[in-house]
Amino acid sequence: MTSISSYIEKHKQRFLDELLDLLRIPSVSADSNYAKDVHRCAATVAESLRNAGCEHVEICETSGYPIVYGEKNVNPDLPTVLVYGHYDVQPPDPLDLWNSPPFEPVIKETKLHPEGAIYARGACDDKGQFYMHVKALEYMVSEGALPCNVKFMIEGEEEVGSKSLGTFVRENREKLANDIILISDTGMIGRNAPSITTGLRGLSYVEVTVTGPNRDLHSGLYGGAVANPINVLAQMIASLHDENRRITIPGFYDKVQEVSKEERQLLAAAPFDLQEYKDALDIPDVMGEAGYATHERNAIRPTLDVNGIWGGYIGEGAKTVIPSQAHAKLSMRLVPDQDWEEITELFQKHFEAIAPEGVSVAVRPHHGGQAYVTPMDHIGYQAAHKAYETTFGKAPVPQRGGGSIPIVALFEKELGSKTILMGFGLDSDAIHSPNEHFGIWNYFKGIETIPHFYQHFTALSQGE
Ligand code: BES
Ligand code: MN
Ligand code: MN
């Protein structure tokens, strides 16, 4: 039997070319102008699953974008791995900050990626990463090295809140039944510091509108006499944090699980250089909740951020105006055991309560999801640990991720399965940003590591 590394060596160029083709499809789920491309991408993913040896490949239509499903059954007595990923991508804006067009992938060498990195929207999040699983499957099937059953579920609405997936999962519990869920949609610390993501934060996303006068007003004639919605909104947002950078919404922290001293120590073992961190972002200093280190603030603590704010005149030159309305989009990252719907309500109540007289405030909830933590004593985690040890030559460290994949908590609730997050991206890969990229080394390392997970998971499931 060919080893995975020699199989990769032999098919390297094709593995790369196939991913580049996938990246040429602008499958932006947030913008309906790309609807055709999103559907075309689903068809391409389905084809790639068939080519890799999947059976019963289906493009499952939903009220939104389709979910691509496929499976390969070896033996019903063996465990089943469910691979989840997403073929949709974030909008590429702002386009002028890209050094090359977002849907015309190019390979460039960088300091962190001396073998080259693929620059394209979705390269790391998540096309490059779910495609590692497709190629790992191709190897295992073609070499007769698939040790257990596998199911693939690749969706097209992750970046817009997985609206259709919840229903799909609830309606297809049997079809999706599995022993472990495997996802590559997170990151790792570095090539010399392999890590496994053991947690994801929850999310509550809201939009707020502050309305003042019934029309825009001359700021000379009315200034000082009526509330300016932008001034008011800015003040309201500023009041959401106190001097310790803690969130002031009453009840916000009530259900926050404090992470044990032992786990904080374990997480602190992950290599982190504050100076390098600041240098990489060109910031004079970091800022966050008092009493917590940077790697804790962005992973085990809840946060509140404004994602966008607008209103008034922003065109060329100057216009003296008091706008009728001001708007903002805000997100809160949540941790166990905060409930996103409850937090959304707390936010709404509080934001309405702090509105000064003279304006009205509307809060519109968007979407959200619960946080998730992978138990490290689970055989899935142990299997991943052994797989990384094999291909990186050293033990991986656990790392809590700050991002969100809301569907993971739902998988546990609806399917009763745990999720293992084997991410191979780097924080510096600029996901959701201009010039997103994914290291070629990382891509192949992922493909190499995944089959080892299957082997170890099957062995551990059988009590070996
Ligand atoms: N893959 C990311 C989430 C992620 C990235 C988690 C890196 C941990 C490390 C995912 O595609 C994403 O962007 N999720 C959104 C939430 C979603 C509901 C739009 C996020 O985290 O903002
Ligand atoms: Mn993703
Ligand atoms: Mn994303």
Side-chain angles (χ1 to χ4, degrees), residues 328-406:
K329 290 180 195 277
L330 293 104
S331 62
M332 289 162 276
R333 296 284 170 175
L334 311 175
V335 300
D337 295 318
Q338 287 177 299
D339 176 77
W340 80 270
E341 284 173 313
E342 199 178 313
I343 291 291
T344 307
E345 254 172 57
L346 289 179
F347 175 90
Q348 180 154 14
K349 253 207 226 137
H350 178 67
F351 209 69
E352 284 166 4
I354 60 173
E357 281 170 26
V359 297
S360 63
V361 164
V363 176
R364 192 164 73 89
H366 270 253
H367 55 78
Q370 315 293 34
Y372 180 77
V373 175
T374 305
M376 287 170 57
D377 54 7
H378 193 275
I379 57 165
Y381 183 84
Q382 288 154 8
H385 185 102
K386 287 180 178 219
Y388 281 74
E389 241 174 4
T390 310
T391 57
F392 285 80
K394 63 158 100 170
V397 295
Q399 187 200 28
R400 290 274 199 109
S404 309
I405 311 176

Side-chain angles (χ1 to χ4, degrees), residues 86 125-126 158-159 185:
H86 62 95
D125 185 10
D126 178 39
E158 197 277 342
E159 299 292 9
D185 192 22

Side-chain angles (χ1 to χ4, degrees), residues 84 86 88 90 124-126 129 157-162 183-187 197 199-203 205 331 333 367-369 400-407 421 427 431-432:
Y84 163 84
H86 62 95
D88 66 319
Q90 285 277 325
C124 178
D125 185 10
D126 178 39
Q129 294 218 69
E157 297 183 309
E158 197 277 342
E159 299 292 9
V160 287
S162 301
I183 304 181
S184 295
D185 192 22
T186 56
T197 304
L200 295 163
R201 285 194 285 188
L203 181 73
Y205 201 105
S331 62
R333 296 284 170 175
H367 55 78
R400 290 274 199 109
S404 309
I405 311 176
I407 207 69
L421 299 155
D427 280 356
I431 62 171
H432 294 206

Side-chain angles (χ1 to χ4, degrees), residues 27 29-30 38 62-67 84-89 154-166:
S27 49
S29 51
V38 183
T62 69
S63 57
Y65 288 123
I67 293 159
Y84 163 84
H86 62 95
Y87 65 82
D88 66 319
V89 301
I154 312 295
E155 71 151 318
E157 297 183 309
E158 197 277 342
E159 299 292 9
V160 287
S162 301
K163 287 188 282 261
S164 310
L165 192 62

